[in-house]
């Protein structure tokens, strides 16, 4: 009866797929990781954490499905990733960050979208571990005006190091380890506001023996193999904070192109202070030359201007700082405006009205700025009708105005505003303004529009006026190429139309509509064409590559047609193919019978491809109009994950756990674990105390049933997809495989462990293969099952949480070997035994034949 119901269900699914509307599918996404990770916690407490040492390589891969092929974008912390790491991989499946830095830690999102449904998004948090060199600074309890640490002063040695995770500190005096309470004159503590970032060594009432070498050791306990770091400081009775002197003026005003030298010298400090130069905004120019405390800027530019500071530091007291401001003469960003604004729709320049021309520039230094005015190249002086003023710098800095009172016809012309600096050395800025009667040529839309339509169909083009002055004299003309089609004059309407009732070869081309007034013309252009849209390649074909002979392979090429009803019926496709790196295309036509439906999947098999070469494929639709838009893709030879399965063994010891993956549809995940690395707060009385071989360091996979897990929740682990061995035409119908694994089910709350066989085809079928439940004791047990797959397959381990926290289930040493299991290895009794594999083999065979008969192909 189960066999009958199964056949009815499968036929129903097949018929629904045949009558559906194509293969369009919304995107799905999954993130996998590789690279040099210190630790990976999968979905624990609703967060996926990937820990890596600074300087290593981060590599995350986003696996997507869907049609049309989804567009992929990586982002970080809910924002664009491209402004945080400039890399083309932001739009690729694999995001690779070499030499990762601490600021690049955070949550990374992979977003896939293809216009169908909501975008698919997955995320993972990256935690970057690092330890910087520690720094020791020295302070004393009273003012440092005397510049020395005299006897009977209290001294503080502060040790600071940036790290992730938090750092631990220890102190030494010489070779002596200093601990709190080991010396009455020494106190070691952490300020409460630093949260473990700082360790202070306090020397109370400084004694002669306190003048010594002190060492601070910073440690992160060797996580990610990060070694400890140490810094030393020599404390003596000459120790003093730094002081400096700057041998330059303040400010310094220079012309572009000059060389500037700043000199900074130390006047005190023990140990000898180090001198550094900094800039108030931004970094120092790359072209500078540094020699001790001397900084030289050759060929200075405006970009080099700003405040430069010399800082002396010897980690004693506060650093000493002296600054000077460099001002580079400059004139830039000249602009003008006219009142009334002739470019405004409701405003224009009229004779008899007042016209004001304003000119503004940015000048450095602003106090050196001067202006001159010219009309048609001749100097202007301020008069009763031509009033020249300069705006208050606090209101509008760097601005001059020319007011023309009672505009006359003779005032029309070109006015020039010239800005210059009194100090010289800078080219003047000239701004020309033309004063004339106001006209505005028409602005129209659309500037360009492509219209695709089949022959014998109608089309109407419309050109709309957005603005024009004057409006009263507007005419239009329609042309096809150089042929005049229609002319006319606007009345009250804002647009003109041109219809074509029945398109033919003579009607296709570029239509131009020109709308004209006395100031000029605006143009709308329409490209009317019968070209078909480009096809869209389908990238989710299941197992597109197969091989008939040793040195060649075939490829199942699939695609859908974009907007197939927009133009005339597609009668064929021109297929072009060339080997990657070659110039010549080989072409042939693929005939199409009947109309193509939207979303219909079209298939064409490419044969005689040479292994392992890649090929470029170009596809162009053909209609009675001619060629349509082409699309190109690359096909590559990729062998299946396991092309000829003979033997497979996985002990979960490698980083990628033998290509096993987590099922996205379950409630929680399986976890890779070893006894040596498990959490010290693990639940007792459940779970293994070693891997299957008895090793404390060996790994296995298990389900953690502690909170927040609930009874009945499932965790599913998927094997890689296996391709069965080629059939022998003279041998048995199908190959048998012995599937075996070790399982551990210890604890009073043990739930259920199920194993399923998933067969791949046009529909995916899961069959129960093996099952066990309840406490089996503190030991590893072995299971053997015969399977008889007729197509590619996967194995699925499903762990179901029992009624309490003492219900951890583990698996290890999964094996698949060609041939049936030895009879002594097969169990005599199972809740679901290996005979299910034989049943799957027998009843699926006629259904596979039925699929091949009913499946539509073009």
């Amino acid at each position: 009866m189960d066999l009958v119901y199964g056949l009815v269900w499968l036929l129903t699914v097949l018929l629904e797929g045949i009558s559906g509307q194509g293969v369009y599918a919304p995107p799905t996404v999954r993130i996998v990781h590789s690279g040099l990770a210190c630790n990976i916690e999968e979905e624990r407490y609703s967060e996926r954490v990937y820990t890596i040492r600074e300087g290593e390589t981060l590599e995350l891969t986003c696996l997507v499905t869907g049609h049309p092929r989804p567009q992929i974008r990586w982002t970080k912390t809910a924002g664009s990733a491209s402004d945080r790491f400039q890399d083309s991989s932001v739009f690729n499946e694999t995001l690779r960050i070499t030499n990762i830095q601490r600021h690049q830690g955070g949550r990374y999102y992979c977003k896939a979208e293809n216009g169908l449904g909501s975008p698919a998004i997955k995320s993972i948090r990256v935690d970057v571990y690092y330890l910087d060199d520690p720094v020791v600074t020295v302070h004393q309890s009273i003012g440092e005006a005397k510049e020395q640490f005299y006897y009977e002063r209290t001294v503080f040695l502060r040790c600071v190091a940036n790290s992730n995770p938090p750092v631990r500190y220890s102190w030494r005096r010489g070779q002596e380890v200093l601990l709190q309470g080991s010396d009455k004159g020494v106190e070691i503590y952490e300020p409460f506001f630093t949260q473990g970032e700082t360790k202070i060594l306090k020397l109370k009432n400084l004694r002669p023996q306190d003048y010594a070498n002190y060492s601070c050791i910073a440690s992160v306990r060797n996580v990610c193999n990060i070694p400890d770091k140490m810094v030393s400081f020599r404390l003596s009775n000459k120790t003093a904070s730094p002081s400096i002197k700057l041998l330059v003026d303040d400010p310094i005003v220079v012309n572009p192109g000059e060389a500037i030298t700043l000199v900074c010298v130390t006047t005190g400090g023990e140990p000898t202070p180090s001198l550094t130069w900094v800039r108030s905004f931004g970094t120092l120019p790359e072209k500078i030359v540094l020699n001790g405390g001397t900084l030289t800027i050759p060929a200075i530019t405006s970009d080099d201007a700003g405040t430069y500071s010399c800082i002396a530091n010897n980690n004693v007291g506060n650093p000493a700082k002296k600054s000077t401001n460099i001002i580079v003469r400059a004139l830039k960003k000249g602009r003008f405006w006219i009142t009334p604004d002739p470019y405004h729709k409701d405003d224009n320049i009229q004779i008899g009205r007042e016209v004001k021309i304003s000119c503004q520039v940015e000048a450095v230094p602003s106090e050196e700025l001067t202006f001159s005015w010219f009309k048609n190249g001749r100097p202007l002086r301020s008069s009763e009708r031509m009033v020249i003023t300069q705006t208050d710098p606090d209101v509008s800095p760097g601005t001059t105005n020319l007011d023309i009172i009672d505009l006359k016809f003779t005032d029309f012309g070109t006015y020039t505003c010239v800005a210059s600096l009194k100090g010289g050395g800078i080219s003047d800025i000239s701004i020309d303004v033309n004063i004339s009667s106001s006209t505005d040529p028409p602005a129209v839309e659309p500037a360009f529009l492509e219209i695709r339509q089949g022959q014998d169909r109608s089309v109407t083009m419309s050109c709309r006026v957005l603005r024009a002055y004057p409006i009263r004299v507007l005419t239009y003309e329609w042309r096809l190429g150089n042929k005049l089609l229609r002319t006319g004059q606007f009345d009250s309407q804002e647009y003109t139309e041109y219809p074509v009732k029945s398109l033919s070869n003579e009607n296709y081309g570029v239509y131009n509509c020109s709308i004209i007034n006395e100031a000029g013309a605006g143009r709308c252009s329409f490209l009317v064409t019968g070209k078909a849209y480009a096809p869209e390649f389908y990238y989710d074909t299941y197992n597109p590559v197969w091989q008939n002979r040793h040195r060649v392979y075939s490829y199942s090429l699939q695609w859908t047609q974009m907007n197939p009803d927009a133009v005339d019926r597609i009668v064929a496709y021109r297929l072009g193919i060339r080997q990657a790196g070659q110039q010549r295309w080989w072409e042939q036509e693929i005939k199409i019978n009947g109309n193509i439906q939207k979303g219909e999947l079209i298939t064409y098999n490419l044969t005689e491809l040479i292994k392992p070469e890649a090929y470029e494929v170009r596809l162009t639709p053909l209609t009675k109009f001619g060629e349509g838009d082409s699309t190109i893709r690359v096909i590559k030879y990729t062998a299946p994950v396991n092309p000829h399965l003979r033997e497979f063994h996985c002990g979960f010891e490698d980083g990628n756990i033998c290509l096993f993956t987590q099922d996205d549809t379950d409630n929680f995940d399986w976890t890779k674990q070893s006894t040596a690395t498990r959490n010290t707060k693990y639940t007792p009385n459940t779970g293994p105390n070693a891997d299957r071989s008895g090793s404390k360091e060996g790994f296995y996979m298990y389900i953690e049933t502690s909170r927040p897990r609930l009874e009945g929740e499932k965790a599913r682990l998927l094997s890689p997809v296996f391709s069965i061995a080629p059939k022998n035409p003279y041998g048995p119908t199908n190959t048998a495989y012995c599937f075996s694994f070790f399982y551990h089910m210890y604890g009073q709350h043990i739930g259920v462990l199920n194993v399923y066989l998933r067969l791949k085809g046009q529909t995916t079928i899961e069959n129960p293969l093996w099952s066990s439940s309840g406490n089996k004791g503190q030991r590893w047990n072995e299971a053997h099952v015969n399977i008889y797959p007729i197509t590619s397959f996967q194995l699925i381990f499903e762990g179901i949480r029992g009624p309490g926290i003492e219900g951890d289930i583990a698996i290890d040493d999964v094996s698949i070997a060609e041939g049936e299991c030895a009879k002594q290895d097969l169990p005599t009794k199972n809740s679901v035994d290996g005979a299910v594999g034989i049943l799957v083999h027998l009843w699926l065979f006629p259904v596979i034949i039925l699929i091949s008969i009913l499946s539509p192909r073009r």
Side-chain angles (χ1 to χ4, degrees):
M1 185 62 68
D2 291 339
L3 176 60
V4 174
Y5 286 144
L7 284 169
V8 171
W9 172 81
L10 183 58
L11 287 171
T12 302
V13 172
L14 288 172
L15 291 173
E16 289 177 353
I18 294 169
S19 61
Q21 295 299 314
V23 296
Y24 289 112
T28 65
V29 63
R30 181 165 58 91
I31 296 177
V32 297
H33 44 70
S34 62
L36 303 173
C38 301
N39 184 39
I40 301 165
E41 297 185 25
E42 303 285 355
E43 303 287 352
R44 178 160 294 187
Y45 306 112
S46 301
E47 185 160 41
R48 200 175 188 193
V49 182
Y50 181 97
T51 305
I52 189 171
R53 179 175 174 175
E54 187 174 51
E56 303 290 358
T57 297
L58 172 69
E59 190 169 292
L60 302 175
T61 301
C62 189
L63 304 180
V64 300
T65 63
H67 183 71
R69 185 69 170 175
Q71 297 291 321
I72 297 174
R73 179 175 176 83
W74 284 96
T75 58
K76 178 173 179 281
T77 317
S80 173
S82 60
D83 57 352
R84 294 176 171 85
F85 44 93
Q86 296 296 334
D87 195 309
S88 61
S89 65
V90 172
F91 300 97
N92 292 338
E93 289 88 347
T94 299
L95 174 66
R96 180 181 175 87
I97 304 177
T98 58
N99 190 27
I100 190 168
Q101 300 300 303
R102 63 196 65 177
H103 68 274
Q104 293 172 306
R107 180 166 290 280
Y108 286 83
Y109 296 80
C110 176
K111 178 180 179 182
E113 54 185 340
N114 62 356
L116 299 178
S118 300
I121 300 175
K122 288 289 183 181
S123 69
I124 186 171
R125 185 165 68 84
V126 176
D127 197 3
V128 181
Y129 278 6
Y130 59 90
L131 172 62
D132 289 345
D133 292 330
V135 176
V136 170
T137 57
V138 183
H139 302 268
Q140 64 179 17
S141 58
I142 62 176
E144 298 178 358
K146 294 184 179 181
E147 298 184 351
Q148 290 187 349
F149 290 91
Y150 292 102
Y151 185 68
E152 293 186 351
R153 296 292 189 267
T154 298
V155 175
F156 300 86
L157 277 70
R158 182 189 301 267
C159 186
V160 180
N162 295 321
S163 72
N164 182 29
V167 70
R168 291 182 181 177
Y169 300 94
S170 58
W171 283 97
R172 292 180 186 174
R173 178 166 55 199
Q175 298 300 319
E176 175 191 4
V177 177
L178 296 177
L179 301 173
Q180 178 65 27
S182 63
D183 186 333
K184 293 183 179 180
V186 175
E187 183 178 344
I188 301 174
Y189 64 95
E190 294 182 1
F192 71 94
F193 55 84
T194 62
Q195 300 180 353
E197 298 174 358
T198 303
K199 200 78 165 184
I200 292 181
L201 178 66
K202 179 180 179 182
L203 306 176
K204 299 178 290 185
N205 293 326
L206 203 64
R207 304 163 298 179
Q209 62 266 34
D210 292 331
Y211 294 119
N213 283 323
Y214 290 86
S215 299
C216 172
I217 299 95
S219 173
V220 291
R221 301 162 296 287
N222 204 36
V223 294
C224 284
N225 295 319
I226 299 176
D228 297 348
K229 296 188 177 182
M230 182 178 73
V231 63
S232 298
F233 184 87
R234 174 69 179 174
L235 181 66
S236 71
N237 58 359
K238 294 182 179 180
T239 301
S241 58
S243 59
I244 57 173
K245 184 177 181 181
L246 204 58
L247 305 180
V248 292
D249 297 330
D250 183 33
I252 304 172
V253 181
V254 296
N255 291 326
E258 296 180 358
I260 300 299
T261 299
L262 309 179
V263 180
C264 177
V265 296
T266 59
T267 58
E270 176 65 30
T272 302
S274 62
L275 297 177
T276 57
W277 283 92
V278 297
R279 194 176 177 190
S280 57
F281 296 101
T283 59
L284 291 173
E286 293 183 0
K287 61 187 176 183
I288 66 165
V289 179
L290 283 172
N291 184 11
T294 302
L295 180 146
T296 301
I297 309 175
I300 197 167
T301 66
S302 296
D303 294 335
D304 303 326
T307 300
Y308 288 75
S309 301
C310 176
I311 300 176
N313 188 16
N314 63 354
N315 292 338
V316 179
N318 295 320
K321 180 179 180 181
K322 296 288 185 179
S323 303
T324 186
N325 187 31
I326 297 179
I327 299 173
V328 181
R329 291 189 177 94
L331 287 173
K332 52 187 177 180
K333 293 187 179 178
R335 69 186 189 97
F336 76 92
W337 61 93
I338 303 173
T339 308
D341 186 357
Y343 300 99
H344 192 275
K345 180 178 180 180
D346 300 325
D347 221 343
N348 55 68
I349 294 175
Q350 297 180 2
I351 291 177
R353 294 183 59 180
E354 177 181 345
V355 175
K356 181 178 181 179
I357 307 173
S358 299
C359 172
Q360 184 181 57
V361 297
E362 291 185 13
V364 179
S366 59
E367 58 269 16
E368 294 187 2
L369 176 63
T370 61
F371 288 103
S372 302
W373 282 94
F374 299 82
K375 178 188 176 185
N376 296 330
R378 296 182 178 182
L380 274 180
R381 299 287 183 267
S382 187
S383 64
E384 291 184 359
R385 267 197 349 102
M386 299 279 185
V387 181
I388 299 175
T389 59
Q390 192 151 335
T391 305
D392 185 345
D394 294 333
V395 177
S396 181
T399 304
T400 181
N401 307 295
L402 173 62
D403 284 283
I404 304 175
I405 310 299
D406 186 17
L407 182 69
K408 301 181 182 300
F409 180 78
T410 56
D411 294 328
F412 290 154
T414 300
Y415 291 82
T416 304
C417 164
V418 179
S420 59
L421 292 178
K422 295 177 182 178
I426 301 297
S427 299
D428 298 341
I429 288 182
S430 297
I431 303 173
D432 293 334
V433 184
N434 187 53
I435 301 296
S436 61
S437 58
S438 178
T439 58
D440 189 3
V444 298
E445 69 173 4
F448 176 82
L449 179 65
E450 182 183 53
I451 301 175
R452 301 199 184 203
Q453 189 61 275
Q455 294 187 18
D456 303 324
R457 303 180 190 178
S458 64
V459 64
T460 299
M461 293 157 280
S462 177
C463 183
R464 180 177 298 275
V465 180
L466 299 177
R467 64 178 182 275
Y469 187 84
I471 301 177
R472 64 182 182 275
V473 187
L474 277 180
T475 61
Y476 65 83
E477 61 180 30
W478 284 90
R479 291 179 180 269
L480 173 58
N482 294 322
K483 180 182 179 182
L484 181 63
L485 301 174
R486 177 188 295 177
T487 62
Q489 186 168 338
F490 279 86
D491 294 324
S492 58
Q493 77 273 22
E494 297 180 349
Y495 63 91
T496 175
E497 291 184 339
Y498 186 80
V500 179
K501 295 182 179 180
S502 179
L503 284 170
S504 63
N505 287 334
E506 293 76 18
N507 300 133
Y508 288 117
V510 177
Y511 290 76
N512 289 315
C513 174
S514 297
I515 299 179
I516 309 162
N517 69 2
E518 62 188 52
R523 174 178 291 180
C524 298
S525 292
F526 302 88
L527 173 60
V528 180
T529 177
K531 289 179 63 174
Y533 287 94
E536 295 179 297
F537 282 116
Y538 184 65
Y539 287 86
D540 292 338
T541 304
Y542 180 72
N543 281 346
V545 176
W546 75 94
Q547 50 193 46
N548 299 322
R549 299 193 304 277
H550 179 61
R551 295 185 177 180
V552 299
Y553 69 99
S554 300
Y555 194 94
S556 179
L557 187 70
Q558 294 186 304
W559 68 92
T560 58
Q561 177 60 44
M562 184 189 304
N563 300 330
D565 299 326
V567 295
D568 295 314
R569 184 180 74 83
I570 295 173
V571 297
Y573 285 93
R574 178 172 292 124
L575 173 70
I577 184 168
R578 68 181 177 187
Q579 191 171 318
Q582 301 296 321
Q583 296 296 322
R584 183 176 180 182
W585 290 91
W586 297 93
E587 293 186 334
Q588 68 181 92
E589 285 193 4
I590 304 171
K591 298 296 183 182
I592 299 296
N593 297 319
N595 294 323
I596 299 175
Q597 303 300 317
K598 183 178 181 180
E600 179 181 350
L601 189 63
I602 305 170
T603 302
Y604 184 81
N605 293 328
L606 303 174
T607 59
E608 302 300 320
L609 305 177
I610 301 173
K611 290 172 36 180
E613 300 295 335
Y615 291 84
E616 282 186 273
V617 178
R618 181 176 63 197
L619 205 58
T620 307
L622 304 177
T623 65
K624 62 182 179 180
F625 174 85
E627 292 187 355
D629 292 336
S630 300
T631 188
I632 296 178
R633 68 164 291 186
V634 175
I635 61 173
K636 298 179 180 179
Y637 174 77
T638 54
V641 173
N642 199 340
H644 301 301
L645 177 64
R646 291 290 184 264
E647 185 174 359
F648 171 82
H649 178 78
C650 179
F652 303 109
E653 300 297 329
D654 58 350
N656 61 8
I657 59 174
C658 313
L659 300 179
F660 276 74
T661 56
Q662 308 283 353
D663 192 337
D664 292 333
T665 64
D666 56 8
N667 306 112
F668 64 108
D669 286 345
W670 288 77
T671 303
K672 181 180 176 181
Q673 180 73 62
S674 74
T675 307
T677 60
R678 68 182 176 184
N679 194 316
T680 56
K681 298 181 180 179
Y682 70 94
T683 305
N685 302 321
T686 187
N689 53 19
D691 76 346
R692 197 278 302 175
S693 66
S695 170
K696 300 289 186 182
E697 287 75 29
F699 289 90
Y700 50 87
M701 300 296 290
Y702 87 110
I703 61 168
E704 172 61 60
T705 57
S706 301
R707 284 185 291 269
R709 301 277 68 85
L710 302 175
E711 183 176 2
E713 289 188 341
K714 298 178 180 179
R716 288 163 60 91
L717 187 67
L718 311 181
S719 77
V721 177
F722 298 108
S723 296
I724 62 175
K727 296 180 181 179
N728 182 351
Y730 305 103
T733 304
N734 290 305
T735 304
Y737 295 92
C738 178
F739 162 56
S740 65
F741 62 99
F742 285 83
Y743 60 98
H744 192 283
M745 304 173 70
Y746 169 55
Q748 61 175 335
H749 302 135
I750 291 293
V752 182
L753 176 62
N754 295 321
V755 181
Y756 297 90
L757 177 67
R758 174 184 286 178
L759 296 175
K760 293 290 187 176
Q762 292 201 2
T763 58
T764 299
I765 304 171
E766 289 185 7
N767 298 280
L769 193 65
W770 181 93
S771 182
S772 185
S773 60
N775 187 358
K776 300 293 186 293
Q778 179 58 282
R779 66 181 179 275
W780 286 95
N781 301 284
E782 188 175 14
H784 291 80
V785 183
N786 286 325
I787 57 176
Y788 304 86
I790 61 173
T791 183
S792 300
F793 67 96
Q794 279 180 291
L795 293 163
I796 303 173
F797 289 91
E798 180 185 79
I800 303 177
R801 201 257 198 190
I805 64 174
E806 295 182 11
D808 294 355
I809 299 174
I811 60 172
D812 200 1
D813 286 357
V814 178
S815 297
I816 304 173
E818 189 174 4
E820 293 187 341
C821 303
K823 291 185 178 181
Q824 61 269 24
D825 292 334
L826 291 173
T828 57
K829 185 177 182 181
N830 258 332
S831 56
V832 180
D833 60 29
V836 172
I838 300 174
L839 178 62
V840 171
H841 162 61
L842 291 175
W843 76 264
L844 274 182
F845 183 73
V847 177
I848 297 300
I849 296 176
L850 182 60
I851 291 173
S852 64
I853 294 173
L854 295 180
S855 295
R857 292 175 62 87
R858 282 195 172 269

